[in-house]
Amino acid sequence: MEIPDRVALGQFARERHVHYDVEREVVEGEHREVVGFRVRLFAAHGKSGPGTPMCPKCVELLRELQSFVERLVLPGEAASRTEIVPATPALYESAEDRNEDEVALTVHVRCQSPEHRQPGAGEDLCLRDVRERLEAVGVPRR
């Protein structure tokens, strides 16, 4: 797995305390089926003053996070199964550090292959490429 700009991406991840969480998308029917995952990435905005949605720093950080995701997650095998969900620049209180606010961006990962949808397949098959790329530049899952 080759990651272009690996050093720069890792530096951004460290400086902005980038981390992610995963939420399953399940379809109920005859059988419960995992059809995809929402991977939410968070980047620290800081609290250098009263942060408000749409503040210039918030908008710029969201642009930087989107560029980070485009360079890291979208290339490779996952490209045909991933899309960045358009985001509104909004601030969230950090669950990890009360002295930080964060911006968030969601990547939708579709599980297209039948083996991805098997009961018990979990995240391994569908998210492997995305998770490995995030971990390679030091982005932890929270």
Side-chain angles (χ1 to χ4, degrees), residues 18-34:
V18 177
H19 56 279
Y20 72 101
D21 65 18
V22 176
E23 179 182 321
R24 293 173 185 262
E25 291 183 341
V26 177
V27 170
E28 299 282 345
E30 188 176 316
H31 304 282
R32 278 185 62 133
E33 189 173 48
V34 175

Side-chain angles (χ1 to χ4, degrees), residues 55-65 89:
C55 74
K57 185 177 175 183
C58 178
V59 171
E60 181 60 29
L61 179 55
L62 191 58
R63 281 192 196 120
E64 290 173 1
L65 183 58

Side-chain angles (χ1 to χ4, degrees), residues 5-52:
D5 301 326
R6 185 182 195 140
V7 173
L9 293 171
Q11 181 177 352
F12 175 80
R14 282 187 306 281
E15 288 174 357
R16 290 302 186 174
H17 307 277
V18 177
H19 56 279
Y20 72 101
D21 65 18
V22 176
E23 179 182 321
R24 293 173 185 262
E25 291 183 341
V26 177
V27 170
E28 299 282 345
E30 188 176 316
H31 304 282
R32 278 185 62 133
E33 189 173 48
V34 175
V35 295
F37 295 90
R38 287 187 195 99
V39 179
R40 289 189 69 199
L41 288 109
F42 299 88
H45 176 278
K47 284 200 178 184
S48 58
T52 58

Side-chain angles (χ1 to χ4, degrees), residues 27 32 43 82 87 89 104 118-119 127:
V27 170
R32 278 185 62 133
T82 59
Q118 301 274 335
L127 287 180

